[in-house]
Amino acid sequence: MNNTIVAPTIEYGTLAPLLLIFGAAIVGVLVEAFAPRYLRKAMQVPITLLSIAGAFALVILQVVSGDVPTTPVAMGALAVDGPSLFIWGVILVLSFVCVLLINDEGHFVASAAAVPGSADEEEAERSGSAHTEVYPLALFAIGGMLLFPAANDLLTMFVGLEVMSLPLYLLCGLARRRRLLSQEASMKYFLLGAFSSAFFLYGTAMIYGYAGTVSFAGISQAMATGALLDPLLLLGFSLLAVGLLFKLGAAPFQAWKPDVYQGAPTPITALMASGTLVAAVGALLRVFWAGLGNLDWNWRPVIWVIAALTMIVGSILAITQTDIKRMLAYSSIAHAGFLLVGVVATSSTAAGNAISMQAILFYLLVYGLATVGAFAVVTLVRDPGGEANHLSRWAGLGKRSPILAGVFAFFLLAFAGIPLTSGFFGKYAVFTAALASGREAGDSLGAWMTGLVVVGVVASAIAAFFYVRVIVLMFFNEPAADGPSIAIPSTGTVAVISIAMLVTVGVGVFPEPVLQLAHNAAAGLFIR
Amino acid sequence: MSELWLPIIMAVPVLGAIVVALLPKGGDKLAKQVTLAVSLVVLALTLVMAFQFPGAAGDRFKFEATYDWIPTFGVHFGVGVDGVALVLIALSAVLVPIVVLASWHDADGVKTADGTVVAPKRSVKTYFSLLLVLEAMMIGVFAATDIFLFYVFFEAMLIPMYFMIGSYGGAQRSYAAVKFLLYSLFGGLLMLVAVIGLYVIAGKQTFMFPELVGVIQDPATQKWLFAGFFIAFAIKAPLWPVHTWLPDAAAQAPAGAAVLLVGVLDKVGTFGMLRFCLELFPDAAKAFTMPIVVLAVISIIYGAIVAIGQTDMKRLIAYTSISHFGFIVLGVFAMSQVSQAGATLYMVNHGFATGALFLAAGFLIARRGSPHIADYGGVQKVAPLLAGFFLIAGLAGLSLPGLSTFVSEFMVMIGAYSSTASGSGAFVVAAIVSATAVILAAVYILWMVQRTLNGPTAEPVKAFKDLNAREIWVMAPLIALIIGFGFYPKPLLDVINPAVTSTLTNVHVDNPAIAEKGAGQ
């Protein structure tokens, strides 16, 4: 008997970005505990921004040095492959700009424990106190986002899911204005999120029952030799899918999204709409492609239906919205549907899969940045009581503030997928991947994939209607006499909007460099 | 050197648009002058290019330039012109400076004689900047030899037009702008599916049009892809029953934008049918000829009848255009040299004639502040010049012999009548039925002319001033072109015919008829 315990090997160099973010988050917690109140913000902001920038630099370094691992690291717990590194880069860029938004004044409650409308609250606001805990909380969430799509087994993925979600539940409830709405959002998100986590965990257990392991390599191996119609496997797959699709906000698990997006402080909404979505898509892809790849005859029809449903539900319900953040939430649901089209577009060849992967990665980057940009604009249109989120308040914005309205209109056109914006190429890439996948699969499946693309096109046309409606409001309607004021944007917000705008325009005209980047990242596909 | 022509012609208006947009506040007059100058430069360049066209190198497409744009998707920035594209680019280049002059005060805010504000003041810079962006895209869409590039321009050009209608149009402008955008966008998205399908199925890793001709052989595939393209073009053209956006958009758009919308943007639809639907999917085009010809004939008759009933001048002109687009589509799908050359000529002539009609109506409306025919009467006595131009433009609209539109309408009908393509019996019927539209055209035009120009002078009309120098400069070139090409269409036909021949070769139709037969009047 060999009773010695072997010390695990940890590839610190490869995991450096992840470790840096978590380390900085812990330092942030220590700052909260030991630094005097007046110093905290001054310390937290640089810690947060520098750690994110540093992690991004480490990711870039790894890519540039060509040092992308070909086997899982940390005893098989994490797969830092090409797609992971791309997704990490995207998440880090998105979270950097989101932290710039978080850093702006007036989004977060002065004292979360004070009852809304009470004297305590007034007192806290007057004394200028603030919850600087948002920075370490955001860092933990970002760390979770990095862990979630890179996990190489279901348990690590669950840990990533929780580390990502728990801080977000809390952050959602910290809005400075309309606090009851914010707290309601937080509560809803927490309850439904906990529920979906339970689904995920239950699914993990089922899969373990089937395969005897939770690692994707093991699951895949078990399916290659074992029965594919085992009830444990099918149940496990369904439960996992529910948990993941919930995070993505795919129909019919989309109900939380509008409420949460509306209630949460707008910078946190931006972080969820961009970072969480990217992480969730990454994780979903890994589970379905790397873990359950052999089951594609079973899951492709399911995801087909969900993709179609999500696109249609998101687009149609968005039409009836009167709140700008709710509208963007439904728009995000519709975009989750477009991304799912890419997930369905698998192929029997590695090259075919790489095309679909490339499309999804490209889509994530351009959609994420346009979303953050749009929410950054939302933070600037204000009433005395906070942000002016009702659509009617946006009437005539184009007259009062043509540049801001023009920028917002451009983001909307990108969401609608009008050519010469980045969004167009995202949609184009995904649709091309889907048709190519159907073409390869042959007649009946080919027709189904074409059908999905047609559904996507119809949904795009419907979606265009509500994007255009906002443009009509801003440009073709007369401004109201007591219209909202446009806040003077801080340097951070200007930077966020400029970066998002530059990428949306630049990639809209010359998508090739980013496509190449996504191509290189996708070429190796997932490792197991 | 020759490969730089088209990129330069497209770049000049883009640069102009940026300059105009960046002009300091209060530089409205300067913005107009710069726009006019830029559009005249584009016109001059285009004319020089057009005169070099017959001798230029290249088989069918001349002045070709191809650069890699998105190698990952096989997309090129590929431009080049054949005869059809050339005359349509020339049409755009001629119309833009005219529209600039005609729109001189459109964004300034309009007040009628009795002081009511018809249109509030808007940003002048933005209007003219959009106009130049639109010009670049109109030239690009006709010049594109890469199907993806064509699609990009096809969709992107909606946006400037959308803002021109929505921000500068009449009372119902936002409704009209949204309707216009959504109809076109929907068609465009269907076309996008077909474009992707073409790329995936062809498997050539390229979007260059010449390399994709004749690649798709499977009849069923051809039909699906054809449908995707055709629906987009039918909405754009527009053909009955997807025409309803046009009267709204044209009636609400400022007169200058309406000219470009009906005169050029809609031609992209018929141009696309001729270039892409026919040549990429010849078998499908033949298979669908009958239903399409039926739609075309319905458009011809329906547009004409509904036009008679209109009380709003701009709506009336829009409906006449629907009738005319029916003729163009009939000519395209009759698959004979004469009919297709006639259809192409029709596109150009219709641009001039309808442009003149819209602009003359715009001058009337600017004076009276009402688009309703009933609000006019006896204009002839107070503003003879305006009335005269309006009359000539109207007569061009009803294809009076001696005016350019007659030549093209006659060519389409004779080409359809004598077409030897399969199903020629139906073309004979179509030609005969559509000939009745000539009578209907006389009704709608002459009745409008009678109610506006003749009769007792209405009280508010008495204050009308006749055309000023700027307005004469707007109308005179168009009227000259209408009359000039009415008597001597040969220069246009000489350019158009070889392109149509190669189209027909790609569609595998042999038609011994030569264009001179129809044009020899």
Side-chain angles (χ1 to χ4, degrees):
Chain A
M1 287 294 277
N2 185 357
N3 281 332
T4 51
I5 296 170
V6 181
T9 49
I10 303 289
E11 289 80 350
Y12 290 101
T14 312
L15 295 176
L18 203 58
L19 298 175
L20 179 59
I21 295 288
F22 281 125
I26 290 166
V27 171
V29 173
L30 292 177
V31 166
E32 284 302 312
F34 295 111
R37 189 175 285 274
Y38 63 90
L39 268 180
R40 285 183 199 161
K41 183 158 183 178
M43 294 173 75
Q44 294 285 18
V45 176
I47 290 174
T48 314
L49 288 177
L50 285 178
S51 64
I52 296 177
F56 184 71
L58 287 170
V59 170
I60 296 296
L61 198 67
Q62 238 178 93
V63 174
V64 171
S65 66
D67 194 17
V68 181
T70 49
T71 50
V73 294
M75 307 298 285
L78 285 174
V80 187
D81 43 20
S84 282
L85 284 171
F86 189 90
I87 288 174
W88 282 7
V90 172
I91 290 175
L92 288 168
V93 169
L94 294 174
S95 26
F96 188 86
V97 289
C98 285
V99 170
L100 288 180
L101 280 185
I102 289 174
N103 190 23
D104 219 358
E105 292 296 325
H107 291 302
F108 291 94
V109 64
S111 167
V115 177
S118 67
D120 285 352
E121 189 188 28
E122 255 177 60
E123 169 59 31
E125 272 187 32
R126 213 177 21 250
S127 68
S129 62
H131 282 293
T132 40
E133 292 92 338
V134 292
Y135 295 99
L137 283 173
L139 273 180
F140 274 118
I142 293 162
M145 287 173 198
L146 300 183
L147 188 59
F148 192 35
N152 194 38
D153 63 55
L154 289 170
L155 273 182
T156 312
M157 188 171 270
F158 180 73
V159 172
L161 174 68
E162 290 303 290
V163 174
M164 170 180 87
S165 305
L166 288 170
L168 286 177
Y169 299 146
L170 203 53
L171 289 168
C172 280
L174 296 182
R176 191 181 190 89
R177 313 280 173 201
R178 287 191 276 189
R179 289 186 54 204
L180 288 178
L181 202 66
S182 170
Q183 290 174 359
E184 183 191 327
S186 173
M187 195 66 191
K188 269 187 188 160
Y189 191 26
F190 171 65
L191 287 178
L192 288 172
F195 206 50
S196 82
S197 296
F199 269 94
F200 186 90
L201 202 56
Y202 205 18
T204 305
M206 295 281 181
I207 297 274
Y208 182 78
Y210 167 79
T213 170
V214 289
S215 85
F216 291 137
I219 296 167
S220 180
Q221 187 66 37
M223 264 186 285
T225 52
L228 286 182
L229 289 179
D230 191 314
L232 274 179
L233 175 64
L234 295 181
L235 255 175
F237 142 71
S238 321
L239 293 170
L240 278 183
V242 170
L244 289 166
L245 291 169
F246 173 87
K247 276 293 154 211
L248 191 61
F253 315 108
Q254 89 294 357
W256 61 275
K257 236 183 188 179
D259 290 344
V260 173
Y261 278 26
Q262 183 187 17
T266 306
I268 298 302
T269 313
L271 184 62
M272 287 191 292
S274 56
T276 310
L277 188 89
V278 173
V281 170
L284 185 87
L285 259 184
R286 192 177 289 278
V287 169
F288 283 131
W289 284 25
L292 303 172
N294 291 331
L295 197 65
D296 64 340
W297 275 97
N298 291 53
W299 64 254
R300 279 183 75 183
V302 177
I303 302 294
W304 191 100
V305 171
I306 288 182
L309 198 65
T310 307
M311 290 188 285
I312 294 291
V313 165
S315 308
I316 290 182
L317 291 185
I319 294 176
T320 61
Q321 301 307 315
T322 53
D323 182 287
I324 192 89
K325 279 165 84 180
R326 286 185 82 85
M327 194 208 83
L328 288 174
Y330 278 105
S331 142
S332 148
I333 293 170
H335 282 279
F338 291 123
L339 282 160
L340 284 176
V341 172
V343 175
V344 187
T346 57
S347 155
S348 61
T349 63
N353 279 331
I355 289 178
S356 303
M357 173 88 82
Q358 175 196 4
I360 294 172
L361 294 178
F362 179 81
Y363 200 122
L364 287 174
L365 173 67
V366 297
Y367 173 72
L369 273 172
T371 303
V372 176
F375 278 112
V377 174
V378 170
T379 64
L380 292 178
V381 183
R382 293 189 188 161
D383 265 347
E387 288 166 9
N389 288 341
H390 199 274
L391 269 180
S392 62
R393 308 287 294 156
W394 285 58
L397 195 69
K399 304 258 159 52
R400 257 209 304 274
S401 182
I403 295 179
L404 193 72
V407 168
F408 195 67
F410 197 81
F411 288 135
L412 291 175
L413 292 177
F415 291 149
I418 303 287
L420 300 181
T421 65
S422 62
F424 167 69
F425 288 111
K427 237 174 227 178
Y428 174 82
V430 170
F431 288 165
T432 308
L435 284 186
S437 148
R439 167 91 181 140
E440 181 219 11
D443 283 342
S444 68
L445 200 60
W448 280 99
M449 291 310 286
T450 312
L452 190 59
V453 172
V454 171
V455 171
V457 160
V458 172
S460 303
I462 300 171
F465 174 72
F466 62 80
Y467 296 126
V468 164
R469 206 180 53 157
V470 178
I471 297 180
V472 167
L473 259 179
M474 291 193 301
F475 285 97
F476 305 163
N477 288 15
E478 293 302 321
D482 59 337
S485 61
I486 307 301
I488 307 293
S490 66
T491 323
T493 311
V494 171
V496 173
I497 297 178
S498 318
I499 293 171
M501 187 70 186
L502 273 180
V503 172
T504 310
V505 175
V507 175
V509 179
F510 292 109
E512 186 61 22
V514 181
L515 277 170
Q516 271 307 326
L517 208 60
H519 175 80
N520 294 339
L525 291 174
F526 287 129
I527 57 174
R528 284 194 275 257
Chain B
M1 175 56 208
S2 76
E3 79 273 6
L4 285 179
W5 273 111
L6 286 164
I8 289 176
I9 289 177
M10 288 162 67
V12 169
V14 172
L15 293 177
I18 294 171
V19 169
V20 170
L22 293 181
L23 285 176
K25 240 192 166 86
D28 284 358
K29 187 153 188 223
L30 189 62
K32 296 170 184 175
Q33 288 162 342
V34 171
T35 311
L36 184 62
V38 170
S39 62
L40 285 174
V41 169
V42 175
L43 175 61
L45 287 170
T46 310
L47 288 181
V48 174
M49 182 183 80
F51 282 116
Q52 292 187 359
F53 181 81
D59 199 12
R60 171 178 175 187
F61 291 104
K62 305 189 181 195
F63 308 111
E64 276 192 288
T66 308
Y67 309 98
D68 275 351
W69 180 21
I70 315 171
T72 309
F73 294 152
V75 175
H76 301 84
F77 183 88
V79 288
V81 287
D82 63 359
V84 177
L86 180 75
V87 292
L88 289 171
I89 289 174
L91 168 71
S92 319
V94 169
L95 283 181
V96 171
I98 290 174
V99 163
V100 172
L101 264 185
S103 313
W104 208 253
H105 298 301
D106 272 7
D108 294 355
V110 182
K111 268 190 191 156
T112 51
D114 52 348
T116 48
V117 179
V118 178
K121 173 157 172 42
R122 308 277 164 175
S123 163
V124 174
K125 278 190 316 187
T126 315
Y127 183 84
F128 286 99
S129 184
L130 287 172
L131 193 63
L132 286 176
V133 170
L134 185 64
E135 176 169 33
M137 287 176 172
M138 292 190 302
I139 293 170
V141 80
F142 291 124
T145 50
D146 181 288
I147 296 173
F148 192 95
L149 185 67
F150 172 81
Y151 175 80
V152 165
F153 284 126
F154 184 83
E155 289 282 72
M157 67 200 286
L158 300 175
I159 302 299
M161 182 49 82
Y162 167 73
F163 280 103
M164 285 167 83
I165 299 174
S167 285
Y168 302 89
Q172 300 285 317
R173 59 182 187 274
S174 71
Y175 167 77
V178 171
K179 194 170 174 182
F180 156 75
L181 188 68
L182 289 183
Y183 262 81
S184 307
L185 211 56
F186 180 71
L189 284 167
L190 287 182
M191 182 175 145
L192 178 63
V193 178
V195 167
I196 301 175
L198 177 67
Y199 175 79
V200 169
I201 294 168
K204 303 263 270 185
Q205 309 294 323
T206 180
F207 277 103
M208 289 302 287
F209 170 76
E211 293 180 46
L212 289 170
V213 169
V215 169
I216 306 289
Q217 296 287 350
D218 176 49
T221 314
Q222 272 204 20
K223 281 183 187 168
W224 282 108
L225 296 179
F226 176 90
F229 277 88
F230 182 79
I231 293 172
F233 295 145
I235 291 174
K236 196 87 178 172
L239 214 54
W240 183 89
V242 284
H243 63 279
T244 62
W245 63 270
L246 180 67
D248 287 323
Q252 296 302 326
V259 171
L260 293 181
L261 175 67
V262 180
V264 181
L265 260 64
D266 289 352
K267 301 299 178 348
V268 180
T270 46
F271 168 79
M273 289 179 200
L274 186 63
R275 165 81 65 86
F276 298 109
C277 284
L278 254 52
E279 296 192 45
L280 292 173
F281 320 111
D283 299 332
K286 284 177 203 160
F288 284 126
T289 296
M290 278 311 119
I292 291 170
V293 165
V294 169
L295 287 183
V297 172
I298 293 176
S299 294
I300 293 171
I301 304 295
Y302 174 87
I305 292 176
V306 177
I308 295 174
Q310 295 304 309
T311 56
D312 176 321
M313 273 190 278
K314 280 157 105 183
R315 286 186 78 87
L316 188 148
I317 301 169
Y319 274 109
T320 69
S321 295
I322 292 170
S323 178
H324 293 152
F325 287 125
F327 272 110
I328 299 175
V329 174
L330 174 63
V332 169
F333 279 89
M335 310 268 185
S336 76
Q337 178 85 30
V338 178
S339 73
Q340 289 188 348
T344 310
L345 192 59
Y346 209 132
M347 294 187 218
V348 179
N349 290 332
H350 175 265
F352 293 139
T354 305
L357 204 51
F358 261 122
L359 291 173
F363 293 146
L364 280 173
I365 293 166
R367 284 166 169 71
R368 177 71 176 82
S370 157
H372 295 295
I373 297 172
D375 288 341
Y376 297 83
V379 174
Q380 203 175 10
K381 295 185 195 95
V382 287
L385 210 51
L386 172 56
F389 281 137
F390 191 58
L391 179 66
I392 299 176
L395 292 177
L398 65 78
S399 305
L400 191 78
L403 300 178
S404 61
T405 44
F406 169 76
V407 183
S408 40
E409 195 160 307
F410 185 71
M411 280 176 73
V412 167
M413 282 197 275
I414 205 79
Y417 189 84
S418 62
S419 173
T420 54
S422 63
S424 50
F427 291 131
V428 172
V429 177
I432 293 172
V433 175
S434 54
T436 59
V438 177
I439 302 161
L440 294 173
V443 175
Y444 59 67
I445 290 291
L446 293 178
W447 199 30
M448 174 172 76
V449 165
Q450 185 199 339
R451 284 180 292 169
T452 50
L453 305 185
N454 304 338
T457 307
E459 199 52 43
V461 174
K462 282 185 179 150
F464 275 21
K465 291 195 182 75
D466 209 345
L467 296 182
N468 60 27
R470 172 180 67 86
E471 291 165 330
I472 292 172
W473 271 107
V474 170
M475 293 304 293
L478 285 176
I479 300 297
L481 285 168
I482 291 170
I483 296 174
F485 285 131
F487 281 97
Y488 194 63
K490 190 166 178 302
L492 287 178
L493 284 170
D494 282 349
V495 176
I496 293 168
N497 267 320
V500 168
T501 308
S502 46
T503 302
L504 284 173
T505 313
N506 285 339
V507 193
H508 319 299
V509 172
D510 295 324
N511 198 326
I514 46 165
E516 272 72 19
K517 195 172 96 184
Q521 68 97 25

